[in-house]
PDB file of all heavy atoms in Angstrom:
ATOM      1  N   THR A   1     105.850 131.640 121.890  1.00  0.00           N
ATOM      2  CA  THR A   1     106.227 131.791 120.485  1.00  0.00           C
ATOM      3  C   THR A   1     107.538 132.555 120.365  1.00  0.00           C
ATOM      4  O   THR A   1     107.723 133.600 121.001  1.00  0.00           O
ATOM      5  CB  THR A   1     105.126 132.538 119.712  1.00  0.00           C
ATOM      6  OG1 THR A   1     103.898 131.816 119.837  1.00  0.00           O
ATOM      7  CG2 THR A   1     105.488 132.678 118.239  1.00  0.00           C
ATOM      8  N   GLY A   2     108.457 132.009 119.567  1.00  0.00           N
ATOM      9  CA  GLY A   2     109.725 132.678 119.332  1.00  0.00           C
ATOM     10  C   GLY A   2     110.836 132.291 120.288  1.00  0.00           C
ATOM     11  O   GLY A   2     111.997 132.657 120.069  1.00  0.00           O
ATOM     12  N   LYS A   3     110.510 131.555 121.351  1.00  0.00           N
ATOM     13  CA  LYS A   3     111.558 131.146 122.293  1.00  0.00           C
ATOM     14  C   LYS A   3     112.473 130.127 121.624  1.00  0.00           C
ATOM     15  O   LYS A   3     111.999 129.158 121.022  1.00  0.00           O
ATOM     16  CB  LYS A   3     110.932 130.540 123.546  1.00  0.00           C
ATOM     17  CG  LYS A   3     111.949 130.229 124.643  1.00  0.00           C
ATOM     18  CD  LYS A   3     111.273 129.879 125.946  1.00  0.00           C
ATOM     19  CE  LYS A   3     112.267 129.752 127.082  1.00  0.00           C
ATOM     20  NZ  LYS A   3     111.618 129.565 128.395  1.00  0.00           N
ATOM     21  N   PRO A   4     113.787 130.308 121.680  1.00  0.00           N
ATOM     22  CA  PRO A   4     114.702 129.359 121.050  1.00  0.00           C
ATOM     23  C   PRO A   4     114.576 127.958 121.651  1.00  0.00           C
ATOM     24  O   PRO A   4     114.385 127.807 122.856  1.00  0.00           O
ATOM     25  CB  PRO A   4     116.084 129.944 121.340  1.00  0.00           C
ATOM     26  CG  PRO A   4     115.834 131.388 121.622  1.00  0.00           C
ATOM     27  CD  PRO A   4     114.488 131.445 122.285  1.00  0.00           C
ATOM     28  N   ILE A   5     114.688 126.949 120.782  1.00  0.00           N
ATOM     29  CA  ILE A   5     114.610 125.546 121.204  1.00  0.00           C
ATOM     30  C   ILE A   5     115.865 124.817 120.763  1.00  0.00           C
ATOM     31  O   ILE A   5     116.338 124.986 119.631  1.00  0.00           O
ATOM     32  CB  ILE A   5     113.361 124.868 120.614  1.00  0.00           C
ATOM     33  CG1 ILE A   5     112.099 125.448 121.257  1.00  0.00           C
ATOM     34  CG2 ILE A   5     113.397 123.353 120.818  1.00  0.00           C
ATOM     35  CD1 ILE A   5     110.829 124.968 120.622  1.00  0.00           C
ATOM     36  N   ILE A   6     116.413 123.999 121.652  1.00  0.00           N
ATOM     37  CA  ILE A   6     117.532 123.110 121.332  1.00  0.00           C
ATOM     38  C   ILE A   6     117.123 121.699 121.736  1.00  0.00           C
ATOM     39  O   ILE A   6     116.589 121.492 122.825  1.00  0.00           O
ATOM     40  CB  ILE A   6     118.820 123.538 122.052  1.00  0.00           C
ATOM     41  CG1 ILE A   6     119.327 124.863 121.472  1.00  0.00           C
ATOM     42  CG2 ILE A   6     119.898 122.462 121.937  1.00  0.00           C
ATOM     43  CD1 ILE A   6     120.564 125.422 122.153  1.00  0.00           C
ATOM     44  N   ILE A   7     117.360 120.746 120.856  1.00  0.00           N
ATOM     45  CA  ILE A   7     116.957 119.358 121.111  1.00  0.00           C
ATOM     46  C   ILE A   7     118.189 118.466 121.237  1.00  0.00           C
ATOM     47  O   ILE A   7     119.159 118.589 120.475  1.00  0.00           O
ATOM     48  CB  ILE A   7     116.024 118.840 119.994  1.00  0.00           C
ATOM     49  CG1 ILE A   7     114.688 119.593 120.054  1.00  0.00           C
ATOM     50  CG2 ILE A   7     115.794 117.330 120.129  1.00  0.00           C
ATOM     51  CD1 ILE A   7     113.649 119.129 119.056  1.00  0.00           C
ATOM     52  N   PHE A   8     118.134 117.567 122.226  1.00  0.00           N
ATOM     53  CA  PHE A   8     119.166 116.560 122.435  1.00  0.00           C
ATOM     54  C   PHE A   8     118.601 115.188 122.079  1.00  0.00           C
ATOM     55  O   PHE A   8     117.471 114.854 122.445  1.00  0.00           O
ATOM     56  CB  PHE A   8     119.615 116.541 123.897  1.00  0.00           C
ATOM     57  CG  PHE A   8     120.172 117.838 124.397  1.00  0.00           C
ATOM     58  CD1 PHE A   8     119.482 118.592 125.341  1.00  0.00           C
ATOM     59  CD2 PHE A   8     121.394 118.303 123.942  1.00  0.00           C
ATOM     60  CE1 PHE A   8     119.996 119.779 125.830  1.00  0.00           C
ATOM     61  CE2 PHE A   8     121.925 119.502 124.418  1.00  0.00           C
ATOM     62  CZ  PHE A   8     121.223 120.240 125.359  1.00  0.00           C
ATOM     63  N   ASN A   9     119.402 114.402 121.389  1.00  0.00           N
ATOM     64  CA  ASN A   9     119.045 113.028 121.054  1.00  0.00           C
ATOM     65  C   ASN A   9     120.341 112.270 120.863  1.00  0.00           C
ATOM     66  O   ASN A   9     121.399 112.885 120.668  1.00  0.00           O
ATOM     67  CB  ASN A   9     118.182 112.988 119.785  1.00  0.00           C
ATOM     68  CG  ASN A   9     117.549 111.638 119.516  1.00  0.00           C
ATOM     69  OD1 ASN A   9     118.227 110.666 119.184  1.00  0.00           O
ATOM     70  ND2 ASN A   9     116.238 111.567 119.646  1.00  0.00           N
ATOM     71  N   HIS A  10     120.288 110.942 120.890  1.00  0.00           N
ATOM     72  CA  HIS A  10     121.512 110.180 120.648  1.00  0.00           C
ATOM     73  C   HIS A  10     121.923 110.219 119.182  1.00  0.00           C
ATOM     74  O   HIS A  10     123.094 110.038 118.860  1.00  0.00           O
ATOM     75  CB  HIS A  10     121.336 108.724 121.101  1.00  0.00           C
ATOM     76  CG  HIS A  10     122.589 107.924 121.000  1.00  0.00           C
ATOM     77  ND1 HIS A  10     123.756 108.274 121.645  1.00  0.00           N
ATOM     78  CD2 HIS A  10     122.882 106.782 120.301  1.00  0.00           C
ATOM     79  CE1 HIS A  10     124.700 107.400 121.353  1.00  0.00           C
ATOM     80  NE2 HIS A  10     124.205 106.485 120.543  1.00  0.00           N
ATOM     81  N   ASP A  11     120.978 110.471 118.280  1.00  0.00           N
ATOM     82  CA  ASP A  11     121.280 110.470 116.855  1.00  0.00           C
ATOM     83  C   ASP A  11     120.670 111.698 116.200  1.00  0.00           C
ATOM     84  O   ASP A  11     119.822 112.395 116.776  1.00  0.00           O
ATOM     85  CB  ASP A  11     120.748 109.189 116.204  1.00  0.00           C
ATOM     86  CG  ASP A  11     121.407 108.885 114.866  1.00  0.00           C
ATOM     87  OD1 ASP A  11     122.348 109.610 114.472  1.00  0.00           O
ATOM     88  OD2 ASP A  11     120.972 107.920 114.201  1.00  0.00           O
ATOM     89  N   LEU A  12     121.044 111.925 114.969  1.00  0.00           N
ATOM     90  CA  LEU A  12     120.538 113.048 114.184  1.00  0.00           C
ATOM     91  C   LEU A  12     119.201 112.685 113.561  1.00  0.00           C
ATOM     92  O   LEU A  12     119.020 111.572 113.065  1.00  0.00           O
ATOM     93  CB  LEU A  12     121.554 113.412 113.096  1.00  0.00           C
ATOM     94  CG  LEU A  12     121.263 114.635 112.238  1.00  0.00           C
ATOM     95  CD1 LEU A  12     121.195 115.894 113.091  1.00  0.00           C
ATOM     96  CD2 LEU A  12     122.344 114.785 111.161  1.00  0.00           C
ATOM     97  N   LEU A  13     118.256 113.616 113.581  1.00  0.00           N
ATOM     98  CA  LEU A  13     116.924 113.351 113.043  1.00  0.00           C
ATOM     99  C   LEU A  13     116.929 113.249 111.532  1.00  0.00           C
ATOM    100  O   LEU A  13     116.281 112.367 110.952  1.00  0.00           O
ATOM    101  CB  LEU A  13     115.962 114.463 113.484  1.00  0.00           C
ATOM    102  CG  LEU A  13     114.538 114.371 112.948  1.00  0.00           C
ATOM    103  CD1 LEU A  13     113.822 113.141 113.512  1.00  0.00           C
ATOM    104  CD2 LEU A  13     113.754 115.650 113.286  1.00  0.00           C
ATOM    105  N   THR A  14     117.660 114.127 110.854  1.00  0.00           N
ATOM    106  CA  THR A  14     117.635 114.200 109.400  1.00  0.00           C
ATOM    107  C   THR A  14     118.950 114.761 108.884  1.00  0.00           C
ATOM    108  O   THR A  14     119.656 115.469 109.616  1.00  0.00           O
ATOM    109  CB  THR A  14     116.475 115.099 108.926  1.00  0.00           C
ATOM    110  OG1 THR A  14     116.507 115.225 107.500  1.00  0.00           O
ATOM    111  CG2 THR A  14     116.568 116.497 109.542  1.00  0.00           C
ATOM    112  N   SER A  15     119.270 114.469 107.649  1.00  0.00           N
ATOM    113  CA  SER A  15     120.437 115.077 107.009  1.00  0.00           C
ATOM    114  C   SER A  15     120.025 116.274 106.162  1.00  0.00           C
ATOM    115  O   SER A  15     120.865 116.929 105.551  1.00  0.00           O
ATOM    116  CB  SER A  15     121.161 114.046 106.124  1.00  0.00           C
ATOM    117  OG  SER A  15     120.275 113.539 105.128  1.00  0.00           O
ATOM    118  N   GLY A  16     118.718 116.547 106.114  1.00  0.00           N
ATOM    119  CA  GLY A  16     118.204 117.660 105.331  1.00  0.00           C
ATOM    120  C   GLY A  16     118.035 118.921 106.155  1.00  0.00           C
ATOM    121  O   GLY A  16     118.495 119.013 107.291  1.00  0.00           O
ATOM    122  N   ASN A  17     117.352 119.886 105.582  1.00  0.00           N
ATOM    123  CA  ASN A  17     117.170 121.181 106.226  1.00  0.00           C
ATOM    124  C   ASN A  17     115.842 121.313 106.950  1.00  0.00           C
ATOM    125  O   ASN A  17     115.647 122.260 107.708  1.00  0.00           O
ATOM    126  CB  ASN A  17     117.286 122.308 105.192  1.00  0.00           C
ATOM    127  CG  ASN A  17     118.692 122.407 104.611  1.00  0.00           C
ATOM    128  OD1 ASN A  17     119.645 121.900 105.186  1.00  0.00           O
ATOM    129  ND2 ASN A  17     118.809 123.055 103.467  1.00  0.00           N
ATOM    130  N   GLU A  18     114.924 120.370 106.733  1.00  0.00           N
ATOM    131  CA  GLU A  18     113.618 120.411 107.381  1.00  0.00           C
ATOM    132  C   GLU A  18     113.579 119.389 108.516  1.00  0.00           C
ATOM    133  O   GLU A  18     113.703 118.183 108.277  1.00  0.00           O
ATOM    134  CB  GLU A  18     112.509 120.095 106.364  1.00  0.00           C
ATOM    135  CG  GLU A  18     112.297 121.187 105.318  1.00  0.00           C
ATOM    136  CD  GLU A  18     111.716 122.448 105.922  1.00  0.00           C
ATOM    137  OE1 GLU A  18     110.750 122.337 106.714  1.00  0.00           O
ATOM    138  OE2 GLU A  18     112.229 123.546 105.620  1.00  0.00           O
ATOM    139  N   PHE A  19     113.430 119.872 109.739  1.00  0.00           N
ATOM    140  CA  PHE A  19     113.388 118.993 110.905  1.00  0.00           C
ATOM    141  C   PHE A  19     111.925 118.721 111.262  1.00  0.00           C
ATOM    142  O   PHE A  19     111.309 119.457 112.034  1.00  0.00           O
ATOM    143  CB  PHE A  19     114.150 119.618 112.070  1.00  0.00           C
ATOM    144  CG  PHE A  19     115.640 119.549 111.902  1.00  0.00           C
ATOM    145  CD1 PHE A  19     116.287 120.375 110.992  1.00  0.00           C
ATOM    146  CD2 PHE A  19     116.402 118.635 112.619  1.00  0.00           C
ATOM    147  CE1 PHE A  19     117.657 120.303 110.818  1.00  0.00           C
ATOM    148  CE2 PHE A  19     117.770 118.551 112.445  1.00  0.00           C
ATOM    149  CZ  PHE A  19     118.412 119.391 111.536  1.00  0.00           C
ATOM    150  N   VAL A  20     111.405 117.663 110.644  1.00  0.00           N
ATOM    151  CA  VAL A  20     110.000 117.303 110.821  1.00  0.00           C
ATOM    152  C   VAL A  20     109.928 116.008 111.616  1.00  0.00           C
ATOM    153  O   VAL A  20     110.522 114.998 111.231  1.00  0.00           O
ATOM    154  CB  VAL A  20     109.280 117.145 109.470  1.00  0.00           C
ATOM    155  CG1 VAL A  20     107.841 116.695 109.681  1.00  0.00           C
ATOM    156  CG2 VAL A  20     109.312 118.467 108.708  1.00  0.00           C
ATOM    157  N   PHE A  21     109.200 116.037 112.716  1.00  0.00           N
ATOM    158  CA  PHE A  21     109.038 114.847 113.551  1.00  0.00           C
ATOM    159  C   PHE A  21     107.557 114.553 113.698  1.00  0.00           C
ATOM    160  O   PHE A  21     106.767 115.451 113.982  1.00  0.00           O
ATOM    161  CB  PHE A  21     109.650 115.071 114.942  1.00  0.00           C
ATOM    162  CG  PHE A  21     109.589 113.860 115.827  1.00  0.00           C
ATOM    163  CD1 PHE A  21     110.563 112.888 115.764  1.00  0.00           C
ATOM    164  CD2 PHE A  21     108.537 113.671 116.711  1.00  0.00           C
ATOM    165  CE1 PHE A  21     110.513 111.755 116.563  1.00  0.00           C
ATOM    166  CE2 PHE A  21     108.464 112.546 117.523  1.00  0.00           C
ATOM    167  CZ  PHE A  21     109.460 111.582 117.440  1.00  0.00           C
ATOM    168  N   GLY A  22     107.172 113.290 113.481  1.00  0.00           N
ATOM    169  CA  GLY A  22     105.761 112.954 113.625  1.00  0.00           C
ATOM    170  C   GLY A  22     105.468 111.499 113.342  1.00  0.00           C
ATOM    171  O   GLY A  22     106.380 110.661 113.262  1.00  0.00           O
ATOM    172  N   ILE A  23     104.189 111.221 113.182  1.00  0.00           N
ATOM    173  CA  ILE A  23     103.708 109.864 112.963  1.00  0.00           C
ATOM    174  C   ILE A  23     103.488 109.600 111.484  1.00  0.00           C
ATOM    175  O   ILE A  23     103.890 108.578 110.939  1.00  0.00           O
ATOM    176  CB  ILE A  23     102.399 109.629 113.740  1.00  0.00           C
ATOM    177  CG1 ILE A  23     102.608 109.907 115.237  1.00  0.00           C
ATOM    178  CG2 ILE A  23     101.896 108.207 113.533  1.00  0.00           C
ATOM    179  CD1 ILE A  23     101.334 109.918 116.041  1.00  0.00           C
ATOM    180  N   ASP A  24     102.815 110.554 110.813  1.00  0.00           N
ATOM    181  CA  ASP A  24     102.524 110.448 109.384  1.00  0.00           C
ATOM    182  C   ASP A  24     102.322 111.847 108.829  1.00  0.00           C
ATOM    183  O   ASP A  24     102.584 112.843 109.514  1.00  0.00           O
ATOM    184  CB  ASP A  24     101.279 109.561 109.145  1.00  0.00           C
ATOM    185  CG  ASP A  24     100.077 110.002 109.959  1.00  0.00           C
ATOM    186  OD1 ASP A  24      99.865 111.231 110.123  1.00  0.00           O
ATOM    187  OD2 ASP A  24      99.337 109.131 110.449  1.00  0.00           O
ATOM    188  N   ASP A  25     101.833 111.931 107.601  1.00  0.00           N
ATOM    189  CA  ASP A  25     101.667 113.241 106.968  1.00  0.00           C
ATOM    190  C   ASP A  25     100.612 114.100 107.649  1.00  0.00           C
ATOM    191  O   ASP A  25     100.604 115.326 107.496  1.00  0.00           O
ATOM    192  CB  ASP A  25     101.298 113.059 105.484  1.00  0.00           C
ATOM    193  CG  ASP A  25     102.466 112.542 104.666  1.00  0.00           C
ATOM    194  OD1 ASP A  25     103.625 112.708 105.118  1.00  0.00           O
ATOM    195  OD2 ASP A  25     102.231 111.973 103.587  1.00  0.00           O
ATOM    196  N   ASN A  26      99.722 113.462 108.386  1.00  0.00           N
ATOM    197  CA  ASN A  26      98.661 114.213 109.059  1.00  0.00           C
ATOM    198  C   ASN A  26      99.028 114.632 110.474  1.00  0.00           C
ATOM    199  O   ASN A  26      98.478 115.605 110.998  1.00  0.00           O
ATOM    200  CB  ASN A  26      97.366 113.380 109.094  1.00  0.00           C
ATOM    201  CG  ASN A  26      96.831 113.098 107.709  1.00  0.00           C
ATOM    202  OD1 ASN A  26      96.817 113.981 106.843  1.00  0.00           O
ATOM    203  ND2 ASN A  26      96.404 111.864 107.465  1.00  0.00           N
ATOM    204  N   GLU A  27      99.932 113.879 111.110  1.00  0.00           N
ATOM    205  CA  GLU A  27     100.347 114.196 112.473  1.00  0.00           C
ATOM    206  C   GLU A  27     101.866 114.359 112.502  1.00  0.00           C
ATOM    207  O   GLU A  27     102.612 113.381 112.557  1.00  0.00           O
ATOM    208  CB  GLU A  27      99.915 113.091 113.446  1.00  0.00           C
ATOM    209  CG  GLU A  27      98.415 112.986 113.635  1.00  0.00           C
ATOM    210  CD  GLU A  27      98.051 112.044 114.766  1.00  0.00           C
ATOM    211  OE1 GLU A  27      98.007 112.489 115.933  1.00  0.00           O
ATOM    212  OE2 GLU A  27      97.823 110.855 114.478  1.00  0.00           O
ATOM    213  N   LYS A  28     102.291 115.599 112.451  1.00  0.00           N
ATOM    214  CA  LYS A  28     103.720 115.876 112.418  1.00  0.00           C
ATOM    215  C   LYS A  28     103.975 117.294 112.926  1.00  0.00           C
ATOM    216  O   LYS A  28     103.083 118.139 112.949  1.00  0.00           O
ATOM    217  CB  LYS A  28     104.268 115.718 111.001  1.00  0.00           C
ATOM    218  CG  LYS A  28     103.620 116.646 109.975  1.00  0.00           C
ATOM    219  CD  LYS A  28     104.136 116.367 108.576  1.00  0.00           C
ATOM    220  CE  LYS A  28     103.445 117.279 107.550  1.00  0.00           C
ATOM    221  NZ  LYS A  28     103.927 117.003 106.179  1.00  0.00           N
ATOM    222  N   ILE A  29     105.205 117.520 113.356  1.00  0.00           N
ATOM    223  CA  ILE A  29     105.637 118.821 113.841  1.00  0.00           C
ATOM    224  C   ILE A  29     106.814 119.276 112.990  1.00  0.00           C
ATOM    225  O   ILE A  29     107.809 118.562 112.861  1.00  0.00           O
ATOM    226  CB  ILE A  29     106.095 118.765 115.309  1.00  0.00           C
ATOM    227  CG1 ILE A  29     105.022 118.153 116.204  1.00  0.00           C
ATOM    228  CG2 ILE A  29     106.474 120.154 115.808  1.00  0.00           C
ATOM    229  CD1 ILE A  29     105.530 117.801 117.595  1.00  0.00           C
ATOM    230  N   ASN A  30     106.704 120.464 112.425  1.00  0.00           N
ATOM    231  CA  ASN A  30     107.851 121.070 111.757  1.00  0.00           C
ATOM    232  C   ASN A  30     108.598 121.880 112.813  1.00  0.00           C
ATOM    233  O   ASN A  30     108.180 122.973 113.204  1.00  0.00           O
ATOM    234  CB  ASN A  30     107.397 121.974 110.607  1.00  0.00           C
ATOM    235  CG  ASN A  30     108.584 122.493 109.799  1.00  0.00           C
ATOM    236  OD1 ASN A  30     109.685 122.635 110.318  1.00  0.00           O
ATOM    237  ND2 ASN A  30     108.362 122.782 108.525  1.00  0.00           N
ATOM    238  N   LEU A  31     109.710 121.325 113.290  1.00  0.00           N
ATOM    239  CA  LEU A  31     110.448 121.945 114.382  1.00  0.00           C
ATOM    240  C   LEU A  31     111.072 123.274 113.968  1.00  0.00           C
ATOM    241  O   LEU A  31     111.303 124.139 114.825  1.00  0.00           O
ATOM    242  CB  LEU A  31     111.524 120.990 114.888  1.00  0.00           C
ATOM    243  CG  LEU A  31     110.977 119.709 115.538  1.00  0.00           C
ATOM    244  CD1 LEU A  31     112.083 118.680 115.719  1.00  0.00           C
ATOM    245  CD2 LEU A  31     110.334 120.027 116.882  1.00  0.00           C
ATOM    246  N   ASN A  32     111.326 123.450 112.681  1.00  0.00           N
ATOM    247  CA  ASN A  32     111.856 124.728 112.214  1.00  0.00           C
ATOM    248  C   ASN A  32     110.898 125.872 112.537  1.00  0.00           C
ATOM    249  O   ASN A  32     111.313 126.995 112.832  1.00  0.00           O
ATOM    250  CB  ASN A  32     112.091 124.689 110.699  1.00  0.00           C
ATOM    251  CG  ASN A  32     113.048 123.600 110.287  1.00  0.00           C
ATOM    252  OD1 ASN A  32     112.682 122.432 110.296  1.00  0.00           O
ATOM    253  ND2 ASN A  32     114.273 123.958 109.930  1.00  0.00           N
ATOM    254  N   GLU A  33     109.607 125.572 112.497  1.00  0.00           N
ATOM    255  CA  GLU A  33     108.592 126.591 112.786  1.00  0.00           C
ATOM    256  C   GLU A  33     108.490 126.902 114.271  1.00  0.00           C
ATOM    257  O   GLU A  33     107.808 127.852 114.663  1.00  0.00           O
ATOM    258  CB  GLU A  33     107.234 126.132 112.244  1.00  0.00           C
ATOM    259  CG  GLU A  33     107.204 125.980 110.729  1.00  0.00           C
ATOM    260  CD  GLU A  33     105.903 125.388 110.222  1.00  0.00           C
ATOM    261  OE1 GLU A  33     105.041 125.022 111.077  1.00  0.00           O
ATOM    262  OE2 GLU A  33     105.741 125.277 108.997  1.00  0.00           O
TER     263      GLU A  33
END
């Protein structure tokens, strides 16, 4: 917990401020957390 994370991808996940990755509303990860 608290360890900094940096993610690499070929493209940007979102243009917003919430970096949420998942399948649907029930299965998702808020990467900001």
Side-chain angles (χ1 to χ4, degrees):
T1 302
K3 186 169 188 173
I5 291 173
I6 291 177
I7 292 183
F8 301 111
N9 191 291
H10 185 58
D11 199 5
L12 185 61
L13 177 66
T14 177
S15 59
N17 294 341
E18 290 292 314
F19 285 74
V20 177
F21 183 85
I23 303 171
D24 53 38
D25 289 339
N26 297 317
E27 292 189 86
K28 60 184 178 181
I29 306 168
N30 186 332
L31 295 167
N32 301 74
E33 297 174 356

